[in-house]
Amino acid sequence: MKIPKLMTGVLTTVLMGALLAGCGGGNNNAAAGNSGEITIGSKNFTENVLLAHMMADLIEDKTDIKVKRQMNLGGSNVAWSALENNNIQLYPDYTGTIVANYYQEETGNSEESLAKTRELLEKDGLAFLDPFGINNTYTLAVSRETAEKYNLKTFSDLAKVSGNMVLGVEFEFLDREDGYPGIQKLYGMDFKQSKGMDHGIMYRSIDDGETDVTNAYATDAQIKVHDLVILQDDKEFFPPYDAGPIIRQETLDKYPELKGVLNQLNGQISDEEMQQLNAEVDVDALKEEDVARNFLIKKGLIEG
């Protein structure tokens, strides 16, 4: 914020104005803090983009920090590398992904997984703030017709007939230890064929009969749209995937106001609300940035 030149006779006023500017006074809604710029990223699926836009909108509304948005960077490992390399300073991620995929450690329940997430990240100069409220855990889904044909209710049921089926999942799910390889070990699943594909194509493929089983998220709107049946993870393979902001500690040290601002999202989003937000983008074709902003306004977190 620029301080206008004043006459030398009002030096005190100038000094006071400079002091106020140093505390960040450019936005009536802004919390006191440093002006500067950070880059927020996201993975390449709707929910993650929505969450990233929410964080960006909150920061812009509550602070003087300028936000650069780098959405749809790619899969989990791409976003993680961007954070490690300081190409981005903040993005939304999931406790299960962090613990099991990035660090190859055991998770536990939601509380244990959150504690382990923070412990692991701290060693690498990163921090995980308060969770948003959603637990976007993985699951497996089949068409209603397939579920009825084979009387499928659980993952164990699926394992018994997996040799007759084609698995169609996201590319990274085929290789991640908290994905297909881990399921194979625990349940003994051995599909006739497994195919990697983009998230948006998975549901079309199962509708067209090209695949029989797909991975899905608990908050995915497409589950209802395509009338899929979610199978029970009866051996509890998938860990909790509680979503929240992951940020570089040096960024948090530089802009300590970010913690309080981002923690305003703590517990604000239920699984059902996230399904609806995802549907507004994936089904109703609304823009992610508009859906995210409207949600914040509805929750009273920012003004319309």
Side-chain angles (χ1 to χ4, degrees):
M1 176 174 151
K2 295 182 179 179
I3 305 298
K5 292 181 180 179
L6 300 178
M7 297 188 307
T8 55
V10 287
L11 179 60
T12 302
T13 306
V14 174
L15 293 173
M16 289 294 291
L19 234 113
L20 289 171
C23 291
N27 183 345
N28 290 334
N29 295 323
N34 303 319
S35 61
E37 181 178 285
I38 63 170
T39 301
I40 293 180
S42 85
K43 305 183 192 185
N44 59 347
F45 60 94
T46 299
E47 175 174 301
N48 209 255
V49 175
L50 285 168
L51 295 173
H53 277 303
M54 288 182 197
M55 294 193 299
D57 284 344
L58 266 180
I59 293 170
E60 288 177 336
D61 187 77
K62 306 294 183 184
T63 77
D64 284 336
I65 302 169
K66 295 179 181 178
V67 178
K68 186 177 180 181
R69 308 185 192 207
Q70 294 284 349
M71 305 302 177
N72 288 296
L73 290 171
S76 296
N77 293 333
V78 175
W80 174 251
S81 295
L83 185 73
E84 285 188 311
N85 295 329
N86 202 25
N87 295 321
I88 61 175
Q89 289 76 53
L90 169 68
Y91 78 99
D93 213 333
Y94 305 84
T95 54
T97 301
I98 294 168
V99 175
N101 187 45
Y102 304 153
Y103 291 97
Q104 290 84 51
E105 298 249 357
E106 295 292 327
T107 52
N109 60 33
S110 284
E111 185 177 337
E112 293 166 342
S113 187
L114 178 59
K116 178 66 73 69
T117 294
R118 288 173 167 161
E119 176 188 342
L120 292 168
L121 291 177
E122 184 178 4
K123 298 175 184 177
D124 287 331
L126 303 170
F128 192 86
L129 304 183
D130 289 348
F132 301 133
I134 62 172
N135 178 13
N136 192 7
T137 188
Y138 273 122
T139 187
L140 294 177
V142 298
S143 69
R144 191 164 299 278
E145 181 182 358
T146 298
E148 293 173 354
K149 178 179 179 181
Y150 293 100
N151 192 28
L152 300 179
K153 296 181 180 179
T154 67
F155 284 17
S156 292
D157 294 337
L158 179 62
K160 296 173 184 176
V161 295
S162 58
N164 301 323
M165 298 186 179
V166 175
L167 176 71
V169 295
E170 291 173 301
F171 289 106
E172 66 175 6
F173 189 84
L174 285 177
D175 302 318
R176 286 170 48 156
E177 189 58 34
D178 62 338
Y180 183 41
I183 291 176
Q184 281 183 301
K185 293 176 186 176
L186 181 61
Y187 285 98
M189 290 184 188
D190 187 17
F191 290 96
K192 178 172 59 178
Q193 185 180 1
S194 57
K195 299 179 179 180
M197 55 190 67
D198 289 332
H199 184 74
I201 298 175
M202 297 189 313
Y203 300 104
R204 193 186 320 149
S205 296
I206 204 167
D207 279 348
D208 294 342
E210 297 175 2
T211 59
D212 303 293
V213 184
T214 190
N215 70 293
Y217 305 111
T219 58
D220 199 334
Q222 299 300 324
I223 293 171
K224 291 184 178 180
V225 172
H226 294 273
D227 192 28
L228 299 181
V229 174
I230 296 296
L231 301 180
Q232 180 189 353
D233 182 8
D234 50 309
K235 294 184 180 179
E236 298 183 347
F237 168 75
F238 288 119
Y241 286 83
D242 296 302
I246 181 172
I247 186 170
R248 293 177 63 87
Q249 184 61 50
E250 64 184 11
T251 302
L252 205 54
D253 292 340
K254 185 176 181 180
Y255 308 111
E257 65 268 34
L258 286 175
K259 183 175 182 179
V261 169
L262 292 170
N263 281 348
Q264 291 181 39
L265 283 168
N266 177 226
Q268 289 285 348
I269 316 172
S270 68
D271 288 353
E272 292 73 21
E273 285 174 321
M274 199 71 241
Q275 284 181 8
Q276 178 59 37
L277 295 175
N278 287 332
E280 289 178 19
V281 175
D282 295 338
V283 180
D284 301 333
L286 301 180
K287 294 181 178 179
E288 287 109 333
E289 54 266 39
D290 294 336
V291 173
R293 185 167 185 81
N294 288 337
F295 178 78
L296 294 180
I297 293 171
K298 179 182 176 182
K299 287 285 184 175
L301 295 174
I302 64 173
E303 295 181 4

